Amino acid sequence: MTALKRVAILLLALAAAAGAQAMSIRELRTLEAAEKDGKAYASYYLVGVLEGLREGVESSQRDGHKPVFCVEGRRLEPAMARSLYQGELTRNAESYEADMPVQLVMAGALKNSYRCTR
């Protein structure tokens, strides 16, 4: 199974567990621009996505599955969520469309920034 398929399965599982539809890139941008505190709300959302993906990977590891990304003692803090997201969008802008879920971008950022070495 390719890494992209594992990420897609992880995202589907997280969305099903949350019982809500994921926010798209377009919706996140609209939230940032339209609300008085939109940028702060968007940042909280990105932190939640980051923490959800991290927990999902750790849970799948406990079940014996190969992780999509590995922190392996490196620094990964909630405050890094926005820069990871923005960096991934900047580096791979041609890969993402506005209606794609924010979780897909964050998963790509984590996969690219926290490659597994073991």
Side-chain angles (χ1 to χ4, degrees), residues 30-62:
T30 301
L31 174 65
E32 288 178 318
E35 295 283 330
K36 175 185 169 206
D37 296 323
K39 190 159 177 106
Y41 295 150
S43 292
Y44 296 142
Y45 184 79
L46 290 172
V47 168
V49 169
L50 172 73
E51 291 177 347
L53 288 170
R54 187 172 187 176
E55 178 56 35
V57 164
E58 290 172 359
S59 176
S60 69
Q61 275 186 286
R62 288 190 295 270

Side-chain angles (χ1 to χ4, degrees), residues 2-92:
T2 67
L4 186 57
K5 284 184 181 178
R6 286 196 304 266
V7 169
I9 290 169
L10 176 63
L11 289 174
L12 289 173
L14 289 172
Q21 186 174 350
M23 188 180 296
S24 71
I25 297 167
R26 181 188 324 272
E27 291 167 331
L28 186 71
R29 288 177 180 156
T30 301
L31 174 65
E32 288 178 318
E35 295 283 330
K36 175 185 169 206
D37 296 323
K39 190 159 177 106
Y41 295 150
S43 292
Y44 296 142
Y45 184 79
L46 290 172
V47 168
V49 169
L50 172 73
E51 291 177 347
L53 288 170
R54 187 172 187 176
E55 178 56 35
V57 164
E58 290 172 359
S59 176
S60 69
Q61 275 186 286
R62 288 190 295 270
D63 292 339
H65 300 284
K66 184 179 176 188
V68 179
F69 65 90
C70 301
V71 178
E72 297 176 337
R74 293 175 279 182
R75 191 172 140 247
L76 178 59
E77 299 171 0
M80 299 167 66
R82 179 168 292 281
S83 63
L84 282 166
Y85 173 79
Q86 288 299 120
E88 178 67 12
L89 278 180
T90 301
R91 279 188 304 277
N92 299 304

